[in-house]
Amino acid sequence: MNIRTSILPKGIGDIGATTFFVFAIPSVFWYEIAYVIPYFYDTTTFWYKFHFVCATLVFFNIVASYLFTILCDTSIKGRLIQSTDGTSICSVCESIQPPRAYHCPLCKICILKRDHHCVFTSSCIGFYNYRYFFTLLIFVTIGSLYGAYFHVFYTYHNVEYKSIITILRILMPLMMIVLDESSTQFIVAVLIILIVGVVIGIMLLYYHFNLLKNGKTNYEHVHNINKYDLGFKENLRQVFGERWRIAWLSPIIPSKLPGDGINFKISHTFKDK
Ligand SMILES: [Zn+2]
Ligand SMILES: [Zn+2]
C-alpha cells in the first residue's frame, strides 16, 4: 500500500467535518461505555462485559477503517502509467490520466478510479481505498444504531421534558451545551449526534452499495457510464479484493485487489449511452 505523505485538511469543509468526526466518534464511544451502558447493566455483570466487547470491536473497526482510508494513497503519484485505451492527459498534473481517473482540485492530483472527495476523512476515495471507505460507512452505521438504541432509553429516563429549555436543547443541542452546562444537555446532544449518524450512515450506505453493486463510481453513475459493470460478484471482488466474501467484515483482513487501478476490464455487453 502506498502511504499518503500529507493528510492535512484541504479546505474549510474538510477542516469542519474532519474535526467533528475525529472528536465526536471517540467522545460518543467513551460516553456510551462509561455512563450509558452501566446505567442499564452493572459493570460486573456478563451483559455489561458483552456490550463492552461488542462496542469496542465496532469502535476498533471504525478507527482502523478511518486510518486506512486516510493513509492509503490512491493517486497517480509514483505510479508508472503507460498509454492504454481510454487514457487522456491531465493538464494540471501534466501527466497521462488513466481511464476512470479524475483530477481532484482539493488534493491537487489525479486520483485512480476517483469516486469523490470525502470531507470527513479529508481524502479522495478511489481505487485503493474505496474498500476502507465502505467499511467505515458500515461500522459508523452499526455503531450509531447500537449507541442510539441504548441512548434513546437513557435520555428518556434522565432528561426532564416539560420546559421550553428542552425544546431548545433538541433544536440547538450544540449551542445549548455552551449556554446550559447541565449534564442533561450533553445527553441530548449525544442523542442528536447518534441519530444524525444513523440517518446519514444508512443513506450513504444505500447509495454506495448501489454504486458497488453496479460497478460504478459516483462520476460514472451521474454520467450513466455502464461499461465497467462486470456482474454483482465480480464488482464486489473489484472493490474488496480476492477475499471479497469476508473483507467487508473488517479493514484489517488482507485482501489483494485485482488489477492496478490503471487498466480495467470492460463488460462484454457494455453500451455507452
Ligand atoms: Zn491531474
Ligand atoms: Zn481529493
Side-chain angles (χ1 to χ4, degrees), residues 178-197:
V178 180
L179 300 177
D180 172 12
E181 295 162 349
S182 69
S183 63
T184 57
Q185 178 48 38
F186 191 71
I187 295 171
V188 176
V190 172
L191 180 66
I192 306 258
I193 290 172
L194 285 167
I195 290 171
V196 170

Side-chain angles (χ1 to χ4, degrees), residues 104-108 111 114 116-117 123-124:
C104 175
L106 290 168
C107 298
K108 297 185 172 59
I111 304 295
R114 182 172 187 264
H116 68 286
H117 184 92
S123 319
C124 256

Side-chain angles (χ1 to χ4, degrees), residues 2-141:
N2 289 13
I3 306 287
R4 266 172 83 202
T5 47
S6 168
I7 55 168
L8 292 174
K10 314 291 186 315
I12 194 76
D14 273 17
I15 293 170
T18 305
T19 308
F20 173 77
F21 200 81
V22 166
F23 283 100
I25 299 248
S27 308
V28 170
F29 166 71
W30 175 250
Y31 193 72
E32 296 303 304
I33 59 163
Y35 296 97
V36 178
I37 298 178
Y39 180 79
F40 298 101
Y41 304 105
D42 190 275
T43 52
T44 57
T45 61
F46 165 79
W47 284 112
Y48 176 80
K49 288 168 188 159
F50 174 79
H51 288 299
F52 180 88
V53 170
C54 290
T56 304
L57 275 176
V58 173
F59 180 67
F60 171 79
N61 278 311
I62 292 174
V63 174
S65 300
Y66 192 85
L67 289 176
F68 278 116
T69 304
I70 64 170
L71 291 175
C72 179
D73 188 346
T74 191
S75 74
I76 60 167
K77 188 178 164 191
R79 299 182 203 275
L80 181 63
I81 303 167
Q82 288 170 336
S83 184
T84 57
D85 286 347
T87 53
S88 50
I89 301 287
C90 174
S91 57
V92 185
C93 298
E94 298 177 343
S95 160
I96 297 171
Q97 190 182 53
R100 310 185 86 182
Y102 293 96
H103 188 84
C104 175
L106 290 168
C107 298
K108 297 185 172 59
I109 194 161
C110 282
I111 304 295
L112 298 173
K113 196 187 171 191
R114 182 172 187 264
D115 192 85
H116 68 286
H117 184 92
C118 170
V119 289
F120 291 103
T121 55
S122 300
S123 319
C124 256
I125 307 303
F127 181 77
Y128 285 101
N129 65 354
Y130 192 85
R131 170 197 165 183
Y132 306 123
F133 169 75
F134 199 84
T135 55
L136 181 64
L137 286 183
I138 291 176
F139 288 104
V140 165
T141 307

